[in-house]
Amino acid sequence: MAANNNEIVIGIDVGGTNTKFGLVNEDGEILEEGRIKTTDYTTVELFVDALYENISPLIKKHGDKTVKGIGMGAPNGNFYTGCIDHAPNLPWGKDEVPLAKLMTEKFDLPCILTNDANAAAAGEMQYGIAKGMQHFIEITLGTGVGSGIVVNGSLLYGCNGIAGELGHTIIRPGGRKHWSTGSRGSVEAYCSATGIVITAKEQLNKKAYPDSKLRQVKVDDITAKVINECALQGDKLAQKVYQITGRILGEALANFVMFSSPQAIVLFGGVIKAGDYLLKPAKKYMELNLLPAFRGRVKLLLSDLKEADAAILGASSLVQKSKATRAVHPV
C-alpha cells in the first residue's frame, strides 16, 4: 500500500541535554526539524510550552497535511502509562511525570511515549542498519547510556513498560559513583559522554603523557567532543581514555549478548564518533568475555543513521504503526 504523504507525525527525542523534534511523513522523510535545550526548563510545564511554541510554526508551514499524533522518546519513558518514571538525567524528571497527557492537552493530539533508546531502536529497525533484523540491541551512548532490546522483531517493554535500562546495570561493583542515581559501578558511569570526561580527568591526574593536548585545555572545558578531537589528532592520553572506556563497554556487551543472544549490537549516539578507538577495544573485550557458543556470532555495528534521525523517526513510527490513540498496559 502506498504511503499517505498527506499525513504527518510529530517525532520528539527528549535528551538529557537537548530535545530534538521533527515532522515526519509516512515515507520516513523528516520534513522539518529543530531543537531546544532540555536543561533550560525547570518544570515540565515550561518544557511542554516551549515545544508547542517551536513546533506549531512548523505545522502551519504544512497546513495542507493532517497531523496524526505525537511520538516521543524520553529517558525512563513508560510505554504503558505515558509517564516518565524518575529520570535522573532530566531537570524536571525526578518524579513521575505524565508527559504524554500534558502533550495531548497542549497540542490536542494523541501522544505515545516510550524510552528514548527504544525509540532509537525502532528507528534503526525501520530505517537503519538493523532493518530486517529480528533480534538486536541498540545501545545509545550520549549524555547517558540507554538501550532498546528487540526480540522476535518487537521491542521488549517488560511487565511495567520500562525494560531495557542496561546502562544502569553494574559492571564495576563498588566502582565509580553515579552522579544522579548514587549507584556504584554502572555502565553509564563509565561509558557515557559524562563518564568519558571523568575518565579523562582521572588520567590527567597521573603523570603519564605530559605532552598530551588535553593538558592544554582548562579542566572545566574538557568535553567528550574535545577528547574525541584530541584522539583523532593522535593524542595518546585521549586514545587511552577510549581504550579504558571500550574495555568496560565490551565487558558489559558480553553480558548483554549472553542475556538475549542478538544478531547484532548497534551503537548509536555522539560517543560513537570516536570510531575504531572505541569500537576495537569494545569488540575485543566483548569476545574475550563471551562463552564459546556466542563468540564470533554477534555483529558490533555503528548506526548509519544521522544522530538526530533515529530517535525522531523511531518516535514517529510509534504513531504511524498505532491503531489506537493511547498505549494500553496489556495486563
Side-chain angles (χ1 to χ4, degrees), residues 141-217:
L141 300 169
T143 305
V145 174
S147 61
I149 303 166
V150 174
V151 179
N152 294 327
S154 299
L155 282 162
L156 180 68
Y157 288 110
C159 68
N160 60 0
I162 56 172
E165 288 293 345
L166 298 180
H168 291 290
T169 57
I170 303 302
I171 192 64
R172 290 287 185 272
R176 180 181 293 170
K177 186 176 180 180
H178 191 280
W179 45 91
S180 295
T181 67
S183 67
R184 290 193 172 274
S186 67
V187 176
E188 183 168 286
Y190 294 97
C191 300
S192 63
T194 311
I196 288 170
V197 170
I198 294 172
T199 299
K201 291 177 179 178
E202 289 175 350
Q203 293 301 307
L204 285 168
N205 287 331
K206 300 178 181 180
K207 294 182 179 179
Y209 309 108
D211 298 327
S212 171
K213 293 180 180 179
L214 284 174
R215 297 190 182 280
Q216 301 169 17
V217 182

Side-chain angles (χ1 to χ4, degrees), residues 41-51 84 91-93 97-99 102-103:
Y41 307 97
T42 55
T43 69
V44 68
E45 289 80 9
L46 290 173
F47 175 71
V48 170
D49 287 346
L51 283 174
I84 290 178
W92 36 261
V97 179
L99 184 56
L102 293 171
M103 290 292 290

Side-chain angles (χ1 to χ4, degrees), residues 14 24 33 91 108 120 131 148 174 177 182 190 195 233 248 277 299-300 319 328:
V14 182
V24 184
E33 57 187 312
D108 194 25
K131 190 171 184 178
K177 186 176 180 180
Y190 294 97
Q233 293 168 17
I248 295 171
Y277 292 117
K299 297 176 183 177
L300 185 55
V319 177
V328 178

Side-chain angles (χ1 to χ4, degrees), residues 37-311:
K37 286 193 72 67
T38 313
T39 51
D40 281 351
Y41 307 97
T42 55
T43 69
V44 68
E45 289 80 9
L46 290 173
F47 175 71
V48 170
D49 287 346
L51 283 174
Y52 185 80
E53 290 168 6
N54 282 269
I55 294 173
S56 293
L58 303 182
I59 295 173
K60 288 179 181 177
K61 287 176 64 176
H62 296 271
D64 60 325
K65 294 179 173 61
T66 301
V67 183
K68 290 178 65 177
I70 304 165
M72 299 188 77
N76 292 33
N78 189 316
F79 179 73
Y80 297 145
T81 67
C83 293
I84 290 178
D85 293 338
H86 310 284
N89 293 328
L90 296 177
W92 36 261
K94 301 299 187 291
D95 299 312
E96 188 175 78
V97 179
L99 184 56
K101 179 176 180 288
L102 293 171
M103 290 292 290
T104 292
E105 291 173 350
K106 189 69 178 181
F107 284 79
D108 194 25
L109 289 167
C111 178
I112 298 176
L113 175 75
T114 191
N115 179 281
D116 52 347
N118 284 341
E124 204 74 62
M125 182 165 46
Q126 189 164 350
Y127 304 108
I129 202 167
K131 190 171 184 178
M133 288 188 189
Q134 294 292 300
H135 308 273
F136 75 96
I137 300 174
E138 180 105 347
I139 303 291
T140 60
L141 300 169
T143 305
V145 174
S147 61
I149 303 166
V150 174
V151 179
N152 294 327
S154 299
L155 282 162
L156 180 68
Y157 288 110
C159 68
N160 60 0
I162 56 172
E165 288 293 345
L166 298 180
H168 291 290
T169 57
I170 303 302
I171 192 64
R172 290 287 185 272
R176 180 181 293 170
K177 186 176 180 180
H178 191 280
W179 45 91
S180 295
T181 67
S183 67
R184 290 193 172 274
S186 67
V187 176
E188 183 168 286
Y190 294 97
C191 300
S192 63
T194 311
I196 288 170
V197 170
I198 294 172
T199 299
K201 291 177 179 178
E202 289 175 350
Q203 293 301 307
L204 285 168
N205 287 331
K206 300 178 181 180
K207 294 182 179 179
Y209 309 108
D211 298 327
S212 171
K213 293 180 180 179
L214 284 174
R215 297 190 182 280
Q216 301 169 17
V217 182
K218 291 181 180 180
V219 173
D220 291 342
D221 292 336
I222 295 175
T223 63
K225 181 180 179 181
V226 169
I227 297 166
N228 179 53
E229 289 171 350
C230 288
L232 294 175
Q233 293 168 17
D235 189 277
K236 298 301 182 185
L237 191 152
Q239 291 174 2
K240 183 175 181 180
V241 168
Y242 283 117
Q243 290 167 8
I244 294 169
T245 305
R247 175 172 185 161
I248 295 171
L249 178 61
E251 291 169 359
L253 295 182
N255 290 336
F256 304 161
V257 165
M258 291 184 286
F259 150 69
S260 67
S261 189
Q263 295 164 268
I265 292 178
V266 181
L267 303 181
F268 168 80
V271 170
I272 71 169
K273 292 176 182 175
D276 282 346
Y277 292 117
L278 178 70
L279 192 63
K280 284 186 175 180
K283 179 71 171 178
K284 174 183 176 181
Y285 286 99
M286 181 182 81
E287 293 291 345
L288 280 174
N289 288 280
L290 287 172
L291 290 173
F294 292 97
R295 288 180 192 152
R297 297 189 176 188
V298 180
K299 297 176 183 177
L300 185 55
L301 305 171
L302 300 182
S303 173
D304 58 1
L305 292 176
K306 289 169 60 178
E307 189 176 340
D309 286 0

